[in-house]
Amino acid sequence: MSGASVATDAPRADLTVEHARVVSTSSLSPTVANGGDPLVSMRGIVKRYGAADGSLGAAGSTAVYALRGVNLRIDKGEFVAIVGPSGSGKSTLMNILGCLDVPDRGEYVLAGVDVSRLGDDALANIRNRSVGFIFQQWNLLARTAAVDNVALPLAYRGDRARRDKALAALKAVGLAARATHRPNQLSGGEQQRVAIARALVTQPAILLADEPTGSLDSATGAGIMRLFQRLHEAGRTVIVVTHDPRVADLAHRQVHLLDGQIVLDALTNEIRRPPATQEAVRGTGQEANIWARPPALTAD
């Protein structure tokens, strides 16, 4: 790849969030959280978008690199927040994690399958069976009952037990009593819970949430994050993509992106913030209580 220098990221657990923006990066292997094979393994992931002339990284071109040699490991059962400002590459990373896109360079293995070079049909099959998506805008069918919205992914498989499985998923998110309600009969938080149930119903390898609290008020958003924590405690692998440090602080591990590189990869309780910064992140008084980490979740 001529004309472009691609740096690799270096996960660091000894950095403050403030230092994360200026850290230099060097070549390291992905962070190892536990022994055994990882659920997600990314090595040297590069994603670039072409110049006006259609070139991709040719000398003198204006190709944009969204990801620059990203290495990432996520083990089964982890609760990870991928954090970064607009333009950091987090949305591109989410698309590749969720098999909505493929890298231009590098290797991505999901649940033992190298998905880096799969075609559209194979990627669609992986998405349906291995990834449960949760979107900021919920994407529910407006005239369809909650239970039928949840059952929709199983309908594509021809699963005859889909209604029973959908009811079980709604029960898991505390909405069994609202199964026959349409989206316009549900609050914003309830609609997001329906979307989470829809993601759960296929028993995916990972739950992948894109700004899941972005359309909700603070109290409802914090409640949704508590639900993710309970799912994590039940053994689910949860990946949340966010720009909100309050959301990130409720995950067990944070991966911070800047300019297409990982600049910080650490357990949340190891990330040091000055008291003034912590107050700015979580607020004070009632708001701070809403977003506080439960005591049972502060120790590993």
Side-chain angles (χ1 to χ4, degrees):
M1 190 159 36
S2 60
S5 175
V6 180
T8 55
D9 60 294
R12 291 279 300 280
D14 61 339
L15 299 174
T16 64
V17 171
E18 289 71 26
H19 290 155
R21 293 183 175 275
V22 297
V23 64
S24 297
T25 57
S26 59
S27 178
L28 287 179
S29 297
T31 296
V32 177
N34 298 299
D37 293 332
L39 181 59
V40 167
S41 176
M42 289 184 160
R43 293 182 179 275
I45 296 295
V46 173
K47 186 65 183 180
R48 57 195 176 183
Y49 297 98
D53 62 1
S55 62
L56 286 174
S61 79
T62 56
V64 174
Y65 283 81
L67 296 175
R68 297 172 175 268
V70 166
N71 297 324
L72 178 65
R73 170 177 176 145
I74 298 174
D75 288 329
K76 183 178 180 181
E78 286 200 87
F79 184 9
V80 180
I82 295 175
V83 191
S86 178
S88 63
K90 67 182 186 297
S91 294
T92 300
L93 181 58
M94 180 198 72
N95 288 340
I96 294 175
L97 280 168
C99 299
L100 293 168
D101 203 353
V102 293
D104 294 307
R105 181 178 174 184
E107 177 187 80
Y108 172 29
V109 177
L110 172 61
V113 178
D114 186 348
V115 300
S116 309
R117 300 293 180 266
L118 293 181
D120 291 344
D121 290 344
L123 283 174
N125 184 58
I126 291 287
R127 285 196 301 271
N128 182 258
R129 297 186 178 276
S130 296
V131 184
F133 287 99
I134 302 152
F135 300 102
Q136 179 178 344
Q137 299 299 330
W138 313 315
N139 294 338
L140 302 177
L141 299 179
R143 299 183 180 181
T144 304
V147 64
D148 296 318
N149 266 289
V150 173
L152 189 60
L154 296 177
Y156 296 129
R157 300 184 186 179
D159 190 327
R160 295 184 178 180
R162 59 182 177 270
R163 186 175 179 84
D164 289 341
K165 292 178 180 179
L167 288 170
L170 284 170
K171 183 178 180 180
V173 300
L175 278 185
R178 311 284 275 173
T180 59
H181 288 64
R182 294 189 298 275
N184 64 0
Q185 298 171 312
L186 302 172
S187 68
E190 288 173 334
Q191 290 184 66
Q192 187 63 294
R193 286 174 182 264
V194 172
I196 293 170
R198 182 182 58 195
L200 284 171
V201 77
T202 60
Q203 298 292 316
I206 58 175
L207 289 175
L208 184 57
D210 179 21
E211 300 284 4
T213 65
S215 298
L216 305 172
D217 62 79
S218 291
T220 305
I224 291 297
M225 290 304 298
R226 301 282 188 242
L227 175 56
F228 283 133
Q229 288 174 323
R230 291 196 294 273
L231 293 170
H232 160 66
E233 289 175 336
R236 299 282 183 179
T237 304
V238 181
I239 303 172
V240 174
V241 179
T242 185
H243 70 281
D244 189 338
R246 300 174 304 174
V247 171
D249 278 357
L250 289 175
H252 275 211
R253 175 182 162 202
Q254 297 183 31
V255 176
H256 287 244
L257 283 171
L258 186 67
D259 297 333
Q261 298 176 298
I262 294 177
V263 293
L264 177 67
D265 185 345
L267 298 178
T268 295
N269 62 7
E270 294 178 351
I271 296 176
R272 303 185 303 278
R273 283 197 181 97
T277 304
Q278 191 80 331
E279 184 174 299
V281 167
R282 293 184 183 171
T284 58
Q286 183 178 357
E287 185 179 12
N289 292 332
I290 288 172
W291 288 97
R293 290 174 61 82
L297 295 172
T298 56
D300 293 306

